[in-house]
Amino acid sequence: MAKDVSDPTKTPVERSESFTTVSGVPVERLYTPEHLRDLNYDDDLGDPGKPPYTRGIYPDMYRSRLWTMRQFSGFGSAADTNARFHYLLKHGQTGLSVAFHLPTLMGYDSDHAMSKGEIGKCGVAIDSLADMETLFKGIPLAEISTSMTTNAPAAILWSMYLVVAEKQGVDWKKLRGTIQNDILKEYIAQKTYIFPPKPSMKLIVDTFEFGTKHVPQWNTISISGYHIREAGSTALQELAFTLYDGIEYIEWARRAGLDVDDFAPRLSFFFNAHNDLFEEIAKYRAARKVWYRVMTERFHSENPRSAMLRFHTQTAGCSLTAQQPYNNIVRVAIQALAAVLGGTQSLHTNSLDETLALPTEHAARIALRTQQIIAHETRVTNTVDPFAGSYFLERLTLDMEKGCWEYFDRLDAMGGMVAAIEKGFPQREIHDASYQYQKAVERKEKIIVGVNDFVMEDEPPIDILLIDESVAGRQIEQLQRLRQTRDNGRVRRTLEELRRAATANNVNMMPSILECVRAYTTLGEICDVLRDVYGVYEEPAF
Amino acid sequence: MEQKIRVIVAKPGLDGHDRGAKVVARAFRDAGFEVIYTGLRQTPEQIVNAALQEDADVVGLSVLSGAHMTLCPRITELMKKERLDDVLVVVGGIIPDQDIPKLKESGVSAVFQPGASTEDIIAYIRNNVRKK
């Protein structure tokens, strides 16, 4: 006979033999002061705004300034996306975030054979400065901060943004924003790479150097765990690989002669927010602490800002379901809450239709409203790091940190992240985790509401955003008109100069890329030259 | 001895999201299929050529970028030209409901949307594979 669970004198029967986090880490029934005997407040936590910044990088956090509500958006043509930007700003969004379509991310113009079927689908089609001018029409770049999700061609798209600012008469020193510019996680997870690691890392170090001198308020990189997690990693793998990517960028920049304290304050991070509330909060807190120790102990940084980890968060697309899509609003709200309780600097909340298509205006507005409700109604912003001192959360945070150091030792032993990627190590770790996760879902060890339990037959479909093929026709037509009307002699000269700089390999590439952009040389033309000089990356076999 | 089912798992187009393709490929291997994973960014021509060279029984396509309505019908068209009519074509990824009838009309046998289980995909292939 089953024991009576309501009788407090009897040991209750637990629902499961083991309890784990979303990432599969075992969780005990109860956490007590015994679990925190190795915790020292000053060394492990510190007040917010004080090293090691576990509790936050600012003493007053959201009491002085809320996080930036930054919805990632882009679809169709530059004019379509410009209209969406204006819509989001009108509804209270406080920063912009651009999604580019795949041809732009892969360095192809819209009329390239590989672009067929992809135009305006995953983001906005940008071929040249002309498209970028349309994208930011009526948006004062001195007043808004813009994040651009671009990696392999980051230096080129950033140059386009800088030239648009130039044309608006805005001093580059006033510009605020971020380029993702993180190629390592592309090799590891998202796979939107073009060039091999060596020239890719050179281009990134060039943007660090250029930004430090000319665009001092710009975050020249957003070192991203988001895509690693989306590819199926655990929370710990997301954290460890991302922070180690940060180490790798610093190593390469130092080898190129840059001083850590010159560029490290402009390094920013980007994490995922999955469903496990406590595991996610622990991840963000551990991130700040580990980074503080990396910067001060490994790189001996002296500028306090070099050791203060700032991050953007996006809720987990991979956690959302195509089935009963309105349930996604609830998932996103909980994930966003984790990011806020973890002290994020900016946040994107996914739309309920994430697994079906790019968001409709309606879905995008609900996602934004979710952030506004957390910010203005829940009061979780009243005090800084409110979960500190929780026996469970502090234990998770300490364990997350310990797991990071263990991964760092393994990666150091392999000779760094580029070497580890060439061996396929992080890719394999992530693939194994994603396979285990899928198996656990199929065995119903992990319940996904609406997918493997609480299923509904005959759900009514919801309205989704469709990108019709006429976008492609118009985009190609505009591009071909541009090629006929621009000064093609100037285009040729800028491309020759670009080739010289790339071949020499000892000068910063930004000035020659900026000259190409000013001449309306297209992104595809620039990337063709760079592909020719640098070669293209082929990933190790699966 | 029964011949193993030979499956090409391919990522057409520019999409690099390979989590699903790799999980499915591994589940196929665990189920005893012979799996050839083409790698990323394959053109329709390359995929059809691989199906031909590898004497595939099944071509599994994974597309999450929204380009499926251009890429998948192009692949089935080329397969018909190469007389690969007896090769089963299945598609997985971010495929909206309204596109499924058109994909099936073009020669795709089945579409697996987000949330599909590897067991269901494997069962479908075992029950519908045409070449023996």
Side-chain angles (χ1 to χ4, degrees), chain A residues 63-81:
Chain A
R63 286 172 71 105
S64 59
R65 192 177 165 276
L66 290 169
W67 64 91
T68 303
M69 298 181 191
R70 196 190 292 286
Q71 298 298 88
F72 184 45
S73 51
F75 62 93
S77 68
D80 294 331
T81 300

Side-chain angles (χ1 to χ4, degrees), chain A residues 98-390:
Chain A
V98 189
F100 297 99
H101 75 163
L102 273 169
T104 299
L105 297 175
M106 289 303 299
Y108 297 119
D109 285 337
S110 292
D111 56 356
H112 191 280
M114 286 302 284
S115 305
K116 218 167 165 6
E118 312 268 12
I119 296 166
K121 290 280 167 61
C122 269
V124 58
I126 302 289
D127 292 318
S128 76
L129 175 64
D131 295 323
M132 206 68 150
E133 288 170 294
T134 307
L135 186 65
F136 290 102
K137 205 169 171 188
I139 294 170
L141 300 190
E143 287 156 36
I144 193 124
S145 70
T146 303
S147 170
M148 290 191 282
T149 297
T150 167
N151 294 285
I156 303 164
L157 287 153
W158 189 33
S159 294
M160 288 186 188
Y161 190 86
L162 294 176
V163 175
V164 172
E166 208 168 76
K167 293 194 156 194
Q168 282 190 4
V170 178
D171 184 350
W172 285 354
K173 298 212 155 44
K174 284 193 184 147
L175 291 178
R176 288 173 304 120
T178 306
I179 39 176
Q180 195 166 83
N181 205 17
D182 171 12
I183 202 69
L184 293 173
K185 67 90 176 55
E186 295 297 335
Y187 299 131
I188 295 171
Q190 190 176 237
K191 313 290 171 81
T192 314
Y193 43 68
I194 305 175
F195 318 115
K198 220 170 167 182
S200 296
M201 295 297 274
K202 157 99 175 58
L203 280 171
I204 291 164
V205 172
D206 285 354
T207 61
F208 290 176
E209 186 186 40
F210 189 87
T212 302
K213 283 188 196 146
H214 304 287
V215 204
Q217 296 195 71
W218 197 273
N219 301 316
T220 41
I221 194 165
S222 170
I223 306 163
S224 304
Y226 184 80
H227 320 79
I228 291 173
R229 190 67 178 279
E230 289 292 298
S233 82
T234 64
L236 172 62
Q237 288 167 347
E238 175 196 352
L239 181 63
F241 293 155
T242 306
L243 295 181
Y244 200 92
D245 283 348
I247 291 172
E248 188 83 1
Y249 290 118
I250 293 177
E251 296 280 9
W252 285 68
R254 284 209 316 181
R255 282 204 288 275
L258 273 60
D259 185 288
V260 165
D261 280 320
D262 281 345
F263 65 90
R266 296 323 305 174
L267 305 178
S268 63
F269 288 83
F270 173 20
F271 293 113
N272 198 298
H274 210 289
N275 281 331
D276 193 319
L277 188 80
F278 286 97
E279 183 171 55
E280 294 302 280
I281 300 170
K283 182 182 73 186
Y284 309 126
R285 298 172 86 243
R288 282 188 292 264
K289 183 181 178 188
V290 172
W291 193 243
Y292 168 77
R293 288 189 52 193
V294 163
M295 292 310 297
T296 53
E297 292 167 18
R298 185 170 182 143
F299 295 115
H300 309 290
S301 68
E302 285 169 11
N303 182 346
R305 288 174 53 237
S306 298
M308 294 161 80
L309 178 142
R310 295 168 301 128
F311 70 101
H312 171 70
T313 308
Q314 179 170 339
T315 58
C318 65
S319 74
L320 302 184
T321 64
Q323 296 74 15
Q324 303 174 41
Y326 288 106
N327 296 344
N328 292 331
I329 298 173
V330 181
R331 295 188 178 98
V332 168
I334 293 167
Q335 295 164 2
L337 185 64
V340 169
L341 292 169
T344 196
Q345 271 63 55
S346 63
L347 178 60
H348 166 102
T349 32
N350 285 332
S351 296
L352 67 100
D353 50 5
E354 170 83 15
T355 61
L356 304 168
L358 297 193
T360 62
E361 214 167 65
H362 176 235
R365 193 178 63 236
I366 293 173
L368 176 60
R369 293 287 183 254
T370 305
Q371 295 199 34
Q372 291 162 338
I373 289 166
I374 292 172
H376 301 290
E377 295 185 17
T378 66
R379 309 281 155 174
V380 295
T381 54
N382 277 345
T383 187
V384 185
D385 192 29
F387 272 153
S390 148

Side-chain angles (χ1 to χ4, degrees), chain A residues 118 191 230 432 435 442, chain B residues 14 18-19 30 41 118:
Chain A
E118 312 268 12
K191 313 290 171 81
E230 289 292 298
D432 285 343
Y435 196 62
E442 295 193 11
Chain B
L14 295 178
D18 59 1
R19 174 180 181 171
D30 287 354
R41 287 182 260 284
T118 57

